Amino acid sequence: MEVVTVTAIGALLGLLLVILLIFKKFPVFYALFIGALFGGLLGGANLSETISLMTNGAQGMITSILRILAAGILAGVLIKTGSAAAIAHAIIKGLGSERALLAIALATMILTFVGVFIDISVITVAPIALEIGKELGYSRTALLMAMIGGGKSGNIISPNPNSIAVSDGFGVSLTQVMLAGLIPALIGVMFTAWLAKRLINKGSQIEQTGTSRDDQTAENLPYLWKALSGPILAIVLLSLRPLFNIMIDPMLALPLGGLFGLIMVGHVKHLQEYTQYGLSKMINVAIILLGTGLIAGVITNSTLGDVLTNSLDSLGLPAYLLAPLAGIFMSAATASTTSGSAVGSAVFSPTILSSGVSPISGAAMLHAGATVLDHLPHGSFFHATGGSVSADFKECLKLIPYESLVGFVLTIVSTSIYGVLGG
């Protein structure tokens, strides 16, 4: 079958329609489906050709979807066994009250780093953070800032769905993507702690935490070494490729880590319950990725990439800026790091790579860019994180510029390393 090329204006109109529908609270998958369909038709393809482009794009997402569904085992085990909470308790206790905000940021960062979803990481750390905030007189705004900034930093070095989508989109290993975010993440978490400290008197104060839960007390949690056993195994297995050229796919490494962690904490009898929970957390992501494939199939077969590259050239801007800009733009459209990373890498990676940017550089810059505006109110992250500390809508809105600052720091550092200095 002859390859169909869609016009740039048609692809752009389809993408704008997706953004409009998402802002209108339309289900993300159907927004992507409708945008892809109209983008193809408005771009000059007939109905049959448009459907073919959409189908081929969705097929290209299958590997990512399988890896993400497999990762649900590790995520489910970390959360349901109390391993995530044990790691958070240990970090915060270890650093003490003098470095409370740094401890909170680091705890959220490390939970996200070992494979817990960023919103779940914030929800896990929140009860501890609220108790600390009440004791030290810190505002909800400061605590939420510490957790969100730490989570953003951890998200670019994690084996989470956003990293998997970027690694597949640019054709690099998951380990490479995680390592590429390490320096930006470390700078990001330090900046987060500094920024959160300047917010301790802004926003509402904590009078009652309302978070007393038996399963959150340190006495009822696994030992730290047991809690870390699963993530450590997964990371070791993923590291075999860059260290010894032994390929262990994330589709195998991540569930093996989860199962090992389950055995170590002695909860094997809950295998079905925990894996079902992890799968439930991944299903929505998998469905969104299918929708991402639909729109990506249309846009990657359009002239939009050439138009964007030429626009950067005409403005005298370096071509590598397309990578972070794509991440920023798509995170704003979807209010999600995962969706922004998936759509951005699937749609723009061919153009970014054809401009001479190396795969790992493009992946790192786009991934960091996807953290800049993933917290906007039309996404679930905004509401889940605010609810974790009982912050009202207005207080969460006021925090958006500060959250964006952390994302910009991650992006600037990443772009400086992999764009300006060329990796």
Side-chain angles (χ1 to χ4, degrees):
M1 181 178 176
E2 186 179 347
V3 178
V4 179
T5 301
V6 176
T7 65
I9 189 66
L12 185 59
L13 288 173
L15 195 55
L16 290 174
L17 180 58
V18 171
I19 295 169
L20 176 63
L21 291 173
I22 291 174
F23 268 93
K24 293 292 185 181
K25 304 296 184 183
F26 214 73
V28 176
F29 174 81
Y30 292 118
L32 292 162
F33 181 94
I34 294 169
L37 185 63
F38 276 84
L41 295 174
L42 293 173
N46 61 37
L47 184 58
S48 175
E49 291 168 337
T50 300
I51 294 297
S52 179
L53 292 175
M54 292 166 63
T55 303
N56 290 336
Q59 288 174 347
M61 284 290 173
I62 295 302
T63 301
S64 295
I65 290 170
L66 291 174
R67 288 171 176 165
I68 285 166
L69 291 176
I73 295 176
L74 176 60
V77 168
L78 284 169
I79 297 162
K80 297 295 284 184
T81 61
S83 294
I87 295 167
H89 273 283
I91 294 167
I92 291 171
K93 182 179 179 181
L95 287 177
S97 59
E98 290 183 2
R99 300 180 182 87
L101 291 172
L102 176 60
I104 290 167
L106 277 173
T108 318
M109 173 185 170
I110 291 174
L111 287 187
T112 313
F113 160 64
V114 299
V116 180
F117 273 12
I118 181 172
D119 52 349
I120 301 296
S121 296
V122 172
I123 291 168
T124 301
V125 176
I128 315 169
L130 285 170
E131 293 292 346
I132 292 172
K134 181 182 176 183
E135 180 181 340
L136 299 178
Y138 291 171
S139 68
R140 281 184 173 81
T141 296
L143 300 173
L144 194 53
M145 181 68 250
M147 291 187 288
I148 290 175
K152 283 175 180 285
S153 300
N155 222 10
I156 61 172
I157 54 173
S158 74
N160 281 339
N162 42 285
S163 303
I164 293 172
V166 170
S167 69
D168 288 341
F170 282 89
V172 294
S173 73
L174 178 58
T175 315
Q176 285 179 291
V177 172
M178 293 166 65
L179 288 173
L182 184 58
I183 294 175
L186 292 174
I187 293 174
V189 77
M190 297 301 293
F191 177 76
T192 294
W194 176 85
L195 187 59
K197 195 168 184 179
R198 273 128 193 90
L199 299 175
I200 57 176
N201 295 316
K202 293 184 181 293
S204 61
Q205 295 296 310
I206 300 159
E207 296 176 358
Q208 289 185 332
T209 63
T211 59
S212 298
R213 287 172 49 188
D214 291 339
D215 61 352
Q216 287 289 342
T217 60
E219 292 79 8
N220 295 324
L221 298 174
Y223 290 117
L224 180 61
W225 66 271
K226 291 184 177 181
L228 286 169
S229 61
I232 288 174
L233 177 63
I235 292 167
V236 168
L237 291 175
L238 290 171
S239 300
L240 292 178
R241 179 177 179 181
L243 292 176
F244 306 107
N245 201 28
I246 299 173
M247 174 64 178
I248 305 291
D249 195 277
M251 198 185 304
L252 182 61
L254 298 176
L256 280 178
L259 292 174
F260 182 68
L262 189 67
I263 293 169
M264 293 303 294
V265 298
H267 287 201
V268 177
K269 64 181 180 180
H270 298 294
L271 173 65
Q272 182 179 358
E273 176 191 350
Y274 294 176
T275 54
Q276 183 62 44
Y277 176 83
L279 181 62
S280 70
K281 292 297 179 183
M282 298 295 181
I283 286 176
N284 283 341
V285 179
I287 292 172
I288 290 171
L289 281 182
L290 270 179
T292 297
L294 299 176
I295 190 75
V298 172
I299 295 178
T300 53
N301 286 281
S302 74
T303 58
L304 181 59
D306 295 333
V307 170
L308 292 173
T309 303
N310 292 335
S311 298
L312 288 174
D313 288 341
S314 64
L315 292 171
L317 299 174
Y320 62 74
L321 283 181
L322 179 58
L325 289 174
I328 294 170
F329 182 61
M330 295 318 304
S331 72
T334 60
S336 163
T337 309
T338 298
S339 298
S341 298
V343 178
S345 58
V347 169
F348 295 106
S349 60
T351 305
I352 293 168
L353 296 176
S354 66
S355 69
V357 177
S358 71
I360 188 58
S361 295
M365 290 186 288
L366 189 146
H367 200 195
T371 67
V372 174
L373 294 170
D374 58 348
H375 47 266
L376 294 180
H378 58 285
S380 60
F381 180 72
F382 174 91
H383 304 282
T385 54
S388 71
V389 295
S390 302
D392 61 29
F393 187 80
K394 185 181 293 186
E395 190 165 4
C396 292
L397 281 179
K398 290 179 179 178
L399 192 60
I400 286 177
Y402 300 104
E403 297 171 274
S404 300
L405 272 178
V406 175
F408 273 119
V409 167
L410 296 174
T411 304
I412 289 168
V413 175
S414 184
T415 303
S416 297
I417 296 171
Y418 295 100
V420 177
L421 300 178

